[in-house]
Amino acid sequence: MFLRQKLENARYIDTRTESEYRLGHLPGAVRLDLTEPRFRLRSQEELQAFQQALAELNGALGLSPEIPVVCYDDGLTGQLARTAFLLALAGNEVFLWTDGWQDEATDSSPAVPEPSARWVRFREDLLLTADQAQRFEPLFDVRTKPEYRGEVHPPCCPRGGRIPGARHAPLELFFEPEGLLQKLGLEPGQAVGVYCHSGTRSAVAFWMLRGLGVNARNYLGSMHEWSHETDLPVEVDPPVRRGRRKT
Ligand code: ZN
């Protein structure tokens, strides 16, 4: 899953910024950042349209189910994790390369992929939808404490709070893989759900857990989708009292 050296016969995807890419990238690597697209995945039609979008993505990039895909960036960034997550959902065998590729980033001319036929091998075992997340256990919220408690939320969300029953595991924890499973009370092979605001930070947690042998599933829509769905409840903590207590 995490690469330490170059993999032959793979397709390379660079998830850094356009300007970084232009300064030098791995030979033949295509630049791609899938941090932005958001999907509402509650009806069958929406799930089908989503799979169609993944099939088109595979085709537009000229990917093939037989050829592994290596996504690389300077470290395990959000754009690397979410882009790699969507490519894995589409059925690609995906590897992440977070360090050690820099010396080989000698190509500065943009690579244009040759489109292939559309295809998808949808990996629903990697994904959680809102309706699955509602019943999933254990489910970890990897946002900050104030977000988890419902004290703050981004302006794009109509309300704050968390998915009822979700446990808090801030993203920083996942960058220290040593002892992580113990801290979270997890075993290799166990199924675990993760979410954040837009499925990006939770994609980072997803890959770290997968790297440790946990069958992580990412709730892609996360609180951004959840907070817009009026039938889905949120849990919030009572405000923390500050200052002197009245006697
Ligand atoms: Zn939002």
Side-chain angles (χ1 to χ4, degrees), residues 50-207:
F50 178 57
Q51 291 184 48
Q52 281 305 313
L54 294 176
E56 274 162 33
L57 176 69
N58 280 338
L61 292 169
L63 301 177
S64 145
E66 281 78 40
I67 301 174
V69 175
V70 175
C71 298
Y72 68 92
D73 204 318
D74 283 311
L76 181 53
T77 61
Q79 67 267 21
L80 173 66
R82 199 176 194 268
T83 303
F85 176 70
L86 285 165
L87 291 171
L89 265 190
N92 293 285
E93 186 187 7
V94 176
F95 294 91
L96 286 78
W97 200 7
T98 56
D99 191 37
W101 51 267
Q102 286 84 351
D103 287 348
E104 296 179 53
T106 53
D107 194 351
S108 55
S109 54
V112 181
E114 204 170 297
S116 63
R118 302 190 308 173
W119 65 275
V120 65
R121 285 183 187 169
F122 189 47
R123 288 288 306 275
E124 57 181 332
D125 60 308
L126 306 181
L127 177 71
L128 281 184
T129 64
D131 297 277
Q132 291 166 333
Q134 193 166 20
R135 297 182 298 272
F136 205 84
E137 159 66 32
L139 181 66
F140 288 98
D141 183 326
V142 309
R143 297 175 302 163
T144 63
K145 190 95 186 174
E147 287 175 289
Y148 174 78
R149 290 177 51 88
E151 292 165 358
V152 295
H153 63 85
C156 55
C157 291
R159 54 184 174 153
R162 60 177 174 268
I163 298 176
R167 302 188 215 166
H168 189 223
L171 187 61
E172 305 88 79
L173 279 184
F174 293 84
F175 286 102
E176 282 177 35
E178 189 113 354
L180 175 64
L181 296 190
Q182 237 174 350
K183 267 180 224 159
L184 300 179
L186 300 175
E187 304 273 350
Q190 190 177 345
V192 177
V194 287
Y195 75 90
C196 58
H197 164 247
S198 66
T200 300
R201 281 174 282 177
S202 53
V204 171
F206 166 90
W207 287 112

Side-chain angles (χ1 to χ4, degrees), residues 38 153-158 197-198 223-225 227-228:
R38 290 178 182 169
H153 63 85
C156 55
C157 291
H197 164 247
S198 66
M223 280 318 290
H224 182 76
E225 179 192 41
S227 64
H228 283 86

